[in-house]
Amino acid sequence: MDEPARPRRMAPVPSETPAGPTPEELMIRVAKGDERAFELLYDQFAGPIYGLVRRIVRDAAQSEEVAQEVLVELWRTATRYAPDKGSALNWAMTLAHRRAVDRVRSARASTEREQKATFEAARGRPFDEVAESVTARLERSQVRRCLSFLTDLQRESVLLAYYQGYTYREVAEVLSTPQGTIKTRLRDGLIRLRDCLGVTA
């Protein structure tokens, strides 16, 4: 009598491992203060963020600092992330790009300010003399009051150039406006300040 055929052993079906949360889901959890979600997000984003920053900043040590600052900013500002406006990675990379560019600007700011001062002194720009008078001689409250009389565009340009130390070129980049237009806004804005403050150039 033939021996009955043994049932063939079935290969074990690999159990499906549930996919981990997406970066977008992690960002939502981070916005609620979930530290574990932030650890997972950190692991996913640290490499790409550092790579982008390194390409802009160049210096390895400074790039590490900036990348850490970006990751801390992600933790602090996660509530601002809106999933319907793009991926979490794109949002993080935008923050990284902005922070890296700020670091580069900061590193060269003093040199550019000196060059700007030398250039303007040589050309004798009267509105720069007005700016120096305004900064040196008048009370902040009075300056604030007079700034309110400028147009929004003039005030924004003046604040960037004379109170945050941006060069004309940097102001133009920040506001996405031609340098010639920025110089006109600064000149007109400072003339208005001079008239309001009673400063003579």
Side-chain angles (χ1 to χ4, degrees):
M1 190 169 177
D2 293 337
E3 186 178 340
R6 294 182 183 178
R8 196 172 47 172
R9 291 184 63 185
M10 299 292 291
V13 178
S15 60
E16 289 188 10
T17 55
T22 66
E24 291 69 33
E25 292 168 339
L26 290 174
M27 281 297 301
I28 292 169
R29 285 166 50 186
V30 170
K32 296 175 182 176
D34 187 332
E35 294 184 12
R36 175 58 184 156
F38 180 67
E39 289 175 10
L40 294 172
L41 199 67
Y42 186 105
D43 290 341
Q44 291 184 39
F45 284 5
I49 286 174
Y50 175 77
L52 173 64
V53 171
R54 181 67 191 272
R55 286 197 298 275
I56 297 170
V57 176
R58 305 288 183 180
D59 180 78
Q62 287 197 49
S63 296
E64 287 177 10
E65 286 179 18
V66 173
Q68 288 300 320
E69 290 171 6
V70 172
L71 289 160
V72 170
E73 187 176 357
L74 280 179
W75 168 257
R76 288 175 50 249
T77 63
T79 52
R80 298 181 196 166
Y81 170 65
D84 57 324
K85 292 186 178 177
S87 73
L89 181 59
N90 283 345
W91 188 67
M93 297 298 266
T94 299
L95 293 179
H97 183 271
R98 187 180 308 138
R99 185 70 74 131
V101 170
D102 285 346
R103 175 60 66 96
V104 171
R105 285 178 176 159
S106 175
R108 70 188 184 204
S110 72
T111 301
E112 292 196 344
R113 275 197 296 270
E114 288 173 11
Q115 291 173 346
K116 174 182 144 188
T118 302
F119 175 74
E120 296 301 341
R123 298 196 51 179
R125 296 240 180 220
F127 54 91
D128 277 349
E129 293 169 15
V130 173
E132 290 168 9
S133 299
V134 167
T135 306
R137 293 167 47 194
L138 299 168
E139 296 292 333
R140 286 183 185 225
S141 59
Q142 193 178 4
V143 173
R144 255 196 306 269
R145 181 180 64 80
C146 289
L147 281 170
S148 69
F149 292 108
L150 304 184
T151 67
D152 290 342
L153 296 174
Q154 288 171 345
R155 183 166 53 253
E156 194 172 24
S157 299
V158 168
L159 290 173
L160 285 170
Y162 294 101
Y163 293 91
Q164 295 186 36
Y166 282 66
T167 64
Y168 292 134
R169 184 168 53 78
E170 288 173 337
V171 174
E173 288 175 1
V174 169
L175 301 180
S176 301
T177 305
Q179 287 187 51
T181 304
I182 292 300
K183 290 182 180 180
T184 300
R185 282 182 194 167
L186 287 171
R187 184 191 65 229
D188 294 347
L190 288 166
I191 288 172
R192 281 195 181 191
L193 279 179
R194 179 194 62 194
D195 293 344
C196 174
L197 296 164
V199 177
T200 54

